[in-house]
Amino acid sequence: EIVMTQSPVTLSVSPGERATLSCRASQSVSSNLAWYQQKPGQAPRLLIYGASTRATGIPARFSGSGSGTEFTLTISSLRSEDFAVYYCQQYNNWPPITFGQGTRLEIK
Amino acid sequence: EVQLVESGGGLVQPGGSLRLSCAVSGFTVTTYRMSWVRQAPGKGLEWVSYISYSSNTIDYADSVKGRFTISIDNAKNSLYLQMNSLRAEDTAVYYCARHSVNVLPFDYWGQGTLVTVSS
């Protein structure tokens, strides 16, 4: 099973600033990596797949990068609606499909 | 418009059973790969089970293998999860999710249904 580790657990950033979230895989997942956003009481929403491709309707301020074992989600200029929990997910070696434990992005 | 609506959650005693349903609209359930994903209270996401287009391939997380069964009803355009021998650690919100075309990530999710296993 591939273990996904996200860092930091909590990230405090001011609106308008840049946020950088990290995700590390225990072995290579190539570019088969997705990012999701989840707000309280809501289902997750797909942001990025293929490590760097934005899903339909996702604003350009969200970008993903990386391959192999190291990945980054960057939100270029934070808006109030971006404060949420973010999960990475690998789908290279499955089952099982595995998620990171999440990064909580909070307002500083 | 694509919609996934789960139902069937509730309070059940340890060792009991529940059947979750996911009614889909806006697409035909047999033309997409589908999964169940759960989230324990205050915790992260855990993939539970997967079913392929024609139900030829079915997979389960080790934590539920032998206790849960995923299925599809073409006539009702619905996905199901039969959960037997429930344990306290199965307590979670259960989401049905659609895998996007040609890639595996989940592009649509239901709103979730809460399963609580407690005496």
Side-chain angles (χ1 to χ4, degrees):
Chain A
E1 172 177 330
I2 296 179
V3 177
M4 307 301 292
T5 303
Q6 293 184 239
S7 61
V9 173
T10 302
L11 181 62
S12 299
V13 183
S14 299
E17 294 188 341
R18 175 188 299 255
T20 303
L21 290 69
S22 297
C23 175
R24 173 177 293 178
S26 60
Q27 63 188 79
S28 177
V29 298
S30 186
S31 294
N32 296 312
L33 189 286
W35 290 94
Y36 297 85
Q37 176 193 68
Q38 187 179 33
K39 297 179 180 179
Q42 296 185 16
R45 177 175 71 144
L46 178 65
L47 299 176
I48 301 284
Y49 63 91
S52 61
T53 302
R54 279 189 302 276
T56 302
I58 301 304
R61 65 180 182 273
F62 291 90
S63 63
S65 64
S67 66
T69 62
E70 300 284 342
F71 300 89
T72 300
L73 174 69
T74 301
I75 311 170
S76 59
S77 180
L78 281 164
R79 302 180 60 163
S80 57
E81 61 264 35
D82 300 334
F83 293 94
V85 179
Y86 292 82
Y87 294 95
C88 62
Q89 173 213 11
Q90 71 82 21
Y91 50 96
N92 189 64
N93 278 15
W94 67 283
I97 294 169
T98 50
F99 294 89
Q101 82 282 12
T103 290
R104 181 178 304 277
L105 180 58
E106 63 176 30
I107 300 175
K108 187 174 182 180
Chain B
E1 180 188 7
V2 172
Q3 284 193 321
L4 296 80
V5 180
E6 300 96 337
S7 60
L11 175 63
V12 61
Q13 293 188 339
S17 298
L18 275 179
R19 188 193 194 207
L20 305 184
S21 301
C22 173
V24 312
S25 57
F27 70 100
T28 302
V29 70
T30 53
T31 62
Y32 282 82
R33 297 168 290 182
M34 302 291 295
S35 277
W36 288 95
V37 177
R38 69 184 180 183
Q39 187 169 36
K43 302 298 183 182
L45 301 168
E46 179 189 15
W47 169 79
V48 172
S49 182
Y50 163 89
I51 189 165
S52 64
Y53 307 102
S54 54
S55 305
N56 286 342
T57 300
I58 288 175
D59 291 305
Y60 299 97
D62 286 346
S63 57
V64 307
K65 200 171 293 184
R67 301 187 298 122
F68 289 12
T69 303
I70 191 171
S71 63
I72 284 175
D73 185 328
N74 190 15
K76 295 184 178 180
N77 209 27
S78 294
L79 175 72
Y80 300 96
L81 187 68
Q82 177 66 43
M83 305 186 297
N84 299 331
S85 303
L86 283 161
R87 306 165 180 168
E89 54 265 35
D90 296 318
T91 294
V93 173
Y94 285 73
Y95 297 100
C96 61
R98 189 183 85 169
H99 293 263
S100 53
V101 175
N102 297 326
V103 291
L104 275 175
F106 306 113
D107 60 355
Y108 282 94
W109 299 64
Q111 85 288 351
T113 187
L114 176 62
V115 173
T116 303
V117 184
S118 175
S119 54

